[in-house]
Amino acid sequence: MRRNDGERWERLKGKVRARLEDYRQIEDEELYGIIDEEIVELGRETFFPLGERLGMRERLFDAFRRLGVLQELMDRGDITEIMVNGKDRIFIERGGSLCRWDGGFESEEQLEDTIQQIVSRVNRVVNVAEPIADARLPDGSRVHVVLPPVALDGPALTIRKFPETITMKRLTELGALTEEAAGFLGTLVRARYNIFISGGTGSGKTTFLNALSAFIPPDERIVTIEDSAELQIRQIPNLVRLETRNDNGEGNRPVTVGDLIRAALRMRPDRIIVGEVRGEEAFSMLAAFNTGHDGSLCTGHGNSTADMLARLETMVLMGAALPLEAIRSQIASAIDVMVHLGRLRDKSRRVLEISEIGGCENGKIALNSLFRFREEGTGAGKVEGRLQRTGELKNREKLTASGCEL
């Protein structure tokens, strides 16, 4: 940016910000009007070419209503994640690969302004006292913020974009699973099997949960519970969306996933969808799955199906002092099928395993493998393989009760 441009930018931004202090809310058209008036006024005082006026107009609008320098990245459909490690250290994920972006914020203060603008929209607070926050953007993108002093090198902002609603058909086209496995899972959802989706960070759990939820019949009542609302369920008219609340420092106590699960039980849901369990709320989740809410869905972080089951045991122990045998019995009773996702060496996201929970045998949870990804080689930098059937579903009671057939 040339010196004159920088001076104009700071002057115009200051004037627009001063005028906005008189507004509690303002429409986009009104904001554009204020920006245009200030640009015209500045043009009377100094030479201001038309092309620069138009560029400044959009930059000012982005700064006050959108995401400033990040808006360019948000508008690009090929970018799936934006990672800001400081004002001038920005990385993007594109096609599964990370690279550094050559843009940046003019100052750390500008980055902090953008962060405050994001979190304030969803009634969240992030500051020195509460330096960590989760939020979302109007388009459903997930936002995570860490501020100093926790972030040593300046504010850290991570935006996970969801550029399109990916259907199960689209997942099969991308090779994430086979049509046979997709049809199998769709039947299980319609037959009201409780399904738990596991996977590592960035493996596509939320995307897969969205795709699975499309199989839910539209005449049911659904309650969704999330840390930050990301699910895009559009075919269910009788839908209640719940979101957790952090302590805002004004005396309002936080509302946790566990609180929302207990509240959902009083709302007469046919199914409960829990975005993710991370801690002691796993006990409430299992209780909900075990109390007549068949067909419920949930996700969690795990490196494999067996690892996810072990983590669930640990999470339940965080919320209830129960014998391990009782916890395993609860898990085996609550969850019917586990779906495990992962990212392969070529950065592709695949369904790696689908397993049936077969009850407890000799004090351990029995797993019946139904589908497993078999790697067949590597060609042109891509991992070749297929999700192959490895077993048959043993518990067919819900299939029989619902009239569904595999």
Side-chain angles (χ1 to χ4, degrees):
M1 184 186 294
R2 296 193 304 271
R3 181 178 177 183
N4 285 345
D5 284 349
E7 292 174 353
R8 288 183 185 128
W9 166 256
E10 292 300 331
R11 184 173 176 183
L12 285 170
K13 188 170 68 169
K15 286 191 171 186
V16 173
R17 178 181 284 118
R19 290 184 60 177
L20 290 180
E21 291 178 357
D22 297 330
Y23 291 82
R24 295 188 65 182
Q25 291 183 334
I26 186 169
E27 298 296 327
D28 290 353
E29 294 77 9
E30 293 179 282
L31 177 56
Y32 268 126
I34 290 173
I35 292 171
D36 290 340
E37 289 173 10
E38 294 301 332
I39 288 176
V40 169
E41 183 64 29
L42 183 60
R44 293 194 183 104
E45 301 174 15
T46 181
F47 176 68
F48 200 174
L50 178 60
E52 293 182 18
R53 292 189 188 199
L54 294 175
M56 194 72 73
R57 181 179 191 259
E58 292 305 316
R59 283 187 60 213
L60 284 166
F61 182 82
D62 287 350
F64 286 100
R65 184 48 56 93
R66 302 172 85 189
L67 294 180
V69 298
L70 297 182
Q71 193 61 46
E72 174 187 342
L73 303 178
M74 293 299 301
D75 291 339
R76 288 176 54 177
D78 61 333
I79 293 175
T80 53
E81 193 138 10
I82 303 168
M83 290 149 277
V84 182
N85 300 342
K87 69 180 182 66
D88 53 5
R89 287 176 294 118
I90 300 176
F91 294 80
I92 58 175
E93 182 187 57
R94 184 172 49 203
S97 299
L98 295 178
C99 61
R100 185 166 182 170
W101 186 51
D102 57 6
F105 290 87
E106 296 175 10
S107 64
E108 197 168 287
E109 290 72 22
Q110 187 184 21
L111 171 56
E112 291 179 355
D113 286 346
T114 300
I115 289 172
Q116 293 300 333
Q117 180 180 318
I118 292 171
V119 298
S120 63
R121 287 176 177 173
V122 289
N123 198 28
R124 298 291 171 100
V125 174
V126 61
N127 50 38
V128 174
E130 294 288 339
I132 301 174
D134 290 300
R136 68 180 185 277
L137 297 176
D139 66 355
S141 297
R142 179 197 309 169
V143 179
H144 184 72
V145 177
V146 184
L147 294 185
V150 176
L152 301 180
D153 299 319
L157 171 67
T158 307
I159 302 175
R160 171 78 59 81
K161 293 173 59 184
F162 299 96
E164 60 176 320
T165 301
I166 297 182
T167 62
M168 194 60 73
K169 180 180 179 181
R170 179 60 178 152
L171 287 174
T172 60
E173 292 171 352
L174 293 170
L177 74 168
T178 60
E179 290 187 9
E180 180 190 12
F184 176 82
L185 290 173
T187 300
L188 294 189
V189 172
R190 287 189 288 269
R192 303 180 66 85
Y193 281 72
N194 291 332
I195 300 176
F196 194 101
I197 302 163
S198 66
T201 300
S203 59
K205 297 185 295 299
T206 301
T207 298
F208 198 84
L209 181 58
N210 264 321
L212 265 189
S213 68
F215 292 112
I216 298 174
D219 59 347
E220 297 188 11
R221 176 172 170 81
I222 309 300
V223 178
T224 67
I225 296 166
E226 301 174 83
D227 266 334
S228 112
E230 299 166 4
L231 294 175
Q232 301 173 30
I233 301 175
R234 294 187 168 89
Q235 84 283 6
I236 306 293
N238 195 354
L239 174 69
V240 179
R241 302 168 70 222
L242 304 180
E243 184 179 61
T244 62
R245 182 185 71 187
N246 296 330
D247 183 358
N248 63 6
E250 297 177 359
N252 296 325
R253 76 172 187 87
V255 179
T256 66
V257 170
D259 294 331
L260 295 179
I261 292 174
R262 289 187 288 273
L265 295 178
R266 299 181 177 89
M267 301 174 74
R268 199 247 171 245
D270 290 307
R271 307 181 194 229
I272 295 174
I273 300 178
V274 183
E276 183 176 342
V277 289
R278 297 189 180 94
E280 61 185 38
E281 69 271 7
F283 179 71
S284 299
M285 180 271 293
L286 294 176
F289 281 25
N290 268 324
T291 52
H293 301 94
D294 288 343
S296 295
L297 306 169
C298 184
T299 78
H301 274 82
N303 294 323
S304 65
T305 300
D307 177 68
M308 188 69 247
L309 290 173
R311 290 201 66 232
L312 276 175
E313 294 172 7
T314 304
M315 288 189 280
V316 172
L317 283 170
M318 294 167 62
L322 296 174
L324 192 56
E325 292 78 6
I327 293 174
R328 288 174 175 168
S329 177
Q330 277 268 70
I331 293 173
S333 175
I335 300 173
D336 297 311
V337 172
M338 301 277 290
V339 180
H340 183 69
L341 314 178
R343 296 186 72 175
L344 303 184
R345 298 184 304 280
D346 61 357
K347 310 299 182 183
S348 62
R349 297 173 173 89
R350 306 285 185 96
V351 176
L352 300 182
E353 187 177 1
I354 302 174
S355 298
E356 178 185 13
I357 303 295
C360 280
E361 297 178 0
N362 301 319
K364 294 184 177 181
I365 299 173
L367 287 173
N368 172 30
S369 178
L370 303 174
F371 291 84
R372 187 180 293 274
F373 180 80
R374 303 290 188 191
E375 189 172 327
E376 299 169 351
T378 305
K382 289 186 65 66
V383 175
E384 302 293 339
R386 280 179 60 82
L387 190 65
Q388 300 177 357
R389 183 181 281 277
T390 54
E392 297 296 327
L393 187 72
K394 295 179 180 178
N395 179 8
R396 294 176 171 261
E397 292 180 6
K398 292 182 180 179
L399 283 174
T400 303
S402 65
C404 294
E405 294 183 5
L406 288 174

